[in-house]
Amino acid sequence: MDIIEHAQGSAAWLAHRATHFNASDAPAMMGCSPYKTRTQLIHEMHTGLTPEVDAATQRRFDDGHRFEALARPVAEEIVGEDLYPVVGAKGKLSASFDGLTFDEATGFEHKTLNDQLRAALMSDAGADALPLAYRVQMEQQCMVSGATRILFMASKWAGVELVEEMHAWYEPDAELRAAILAGWEQLEKDVAAYVPAEVKVEAVGRTPETLPALRIEVTGAVMASNLLAFKKHALAVFGGINRDLTTDQDFADAEKTVKWCGDVEDRLAAAKQHALSQTESIDALFRAIDEISAEARSTRLELDRLVKSRKDQLRLEIVREGTAALAKHVESLNARLGKVYMPEQFGDFAGAIKGKRTVQSMRDAVASTLAKAKIAASAIADRIQANLALIGEQAAEHAFLFPDEQVIVQKLPEDLERLVKSRIAEHAAAKQRKRDAEALAAAALQTAAAPPPSPAPITASGAVMPLRATPITGAAAAAPAPGAVPTLRLGQLNARIAPLQISAEGLASLGFPAAGRDRAAVLYHEVQFPAIRAALVQHLQGVEAQQAA
């Protein structure tokens, strides 16, 4: 590990952070940070711009550093060694350590104790129950330093007095480590391809322009009123309300306008009631008020339905965008492999946006899910590429043995290697059996032309007595491979030559003693069967020749 000695906040320090993948950013990269989204991290790494720290956040940072310094002596007592704060780097990975032993074998990570950490540290799972964000950070610390364990401590202080302390030991997780490495690799690609979006302020709803005050004076008849002008103006405002909802700002405006329309209805109802209190019936006045009120109600209901339906539509569009981006990534992986080898990939984009209220939060959630799906797909493509290379190396002359290549390349490399070797061995054994059969056939032809040997007697029941056979030479006498396990049972052998039956003693007299036993079963090597069969043919031909004589 390389020690980084730049002063925090200096130009050299900032340059280091800009050119390394930092452990404090790893949770955001993995999409599990409660403070920063993956999209925000990509924007920062692409532009080099980071948001300014507000006063409340700075106080939280300052308290964290103070508690960390107070807790370090407590941690040293637990570890049994001195701990020193340090920043280290290994390749492109970087990490800040709240404490590290001099041999770099043990690290220390401190957080302020809260209810979530208290519940996690009280569980039987220990460090495994900690939020993923903390485990990701500590795993990268282990990757940078080579530490074999990290003391995770959470404490609470009153001034310089310890109020409460809890801790657990974190040990490296190979699966999480692989996910982090793949995550940084994918993030680097996403940063390179990133195009900053237009900066938008947080959506705050605005209502349409305020309607003028409605003035009505009645004394049994309408004495003075701006109702007609009010009506014309109000209807124009209602007609100009935006119904094309796309952005968070549009939704915020629409939701606030829904409330505003309700207020207009209430105001008109109050005006009507005021007029009623002055006269019992002024038809024109009431018709105008009713018309404006109906329009306000109609606009309110329309916008309310539109907000709900458009949000559902946008959720569907965002999910489809994620699905399409994943499909495009898989397509590029197949192009790299040279053929469609990739299995279908899925991302739970619908699950990712569940519970998200704003358009931006939905897009952030889909972006993080897409990154994880891309990482998983790339890992599958890497395995397929390695498997294709393995098949090419070990089975270059036996491509015909792998018509299911598109399926088997998805196996684990060790499983595929066993399969390849097995198929090649089976093919070689089949070729050997064919050569043996051809040699046996040739030997049988030669035997038919030679003088017959003296036959062995056969009993009246058809049982073959112990025989004396002419030795079988060449391929017919092929011996089993060294260490081969006999699998051919005497019963199976007799089934093959039925209706004839032969005993173990008869086979022994032909030069084929038993190769083994499985309880009561007598065993022979499968490779011996062609020679046994040839010996029986030779014997029967001798019997036939003797009878003819």
Side-chain angles (χ1 to χ4, degrees), residues 386 440 471:
L440 287 170

Side-chain angles (χ1 to χ4, degrees), residues 202-203 246-249 251-252 255 311 314-315 318 353 355-365:
E202 183 179 353
T246 303
T247 66
D248 286 332
Q249 184 66 57
F251 283 108
E255 289 168 349
K311 274 199 171 181
L314 269 177
R315 293 170 76 88
I318 292 171
I353 65 173
K356 300 294 187 293
R357 299 180 61 85
T358 67
V359 175
Q360 189 57 51
S361 64
M362 286 190 281
R363 294 194 185 281
D364 287 342

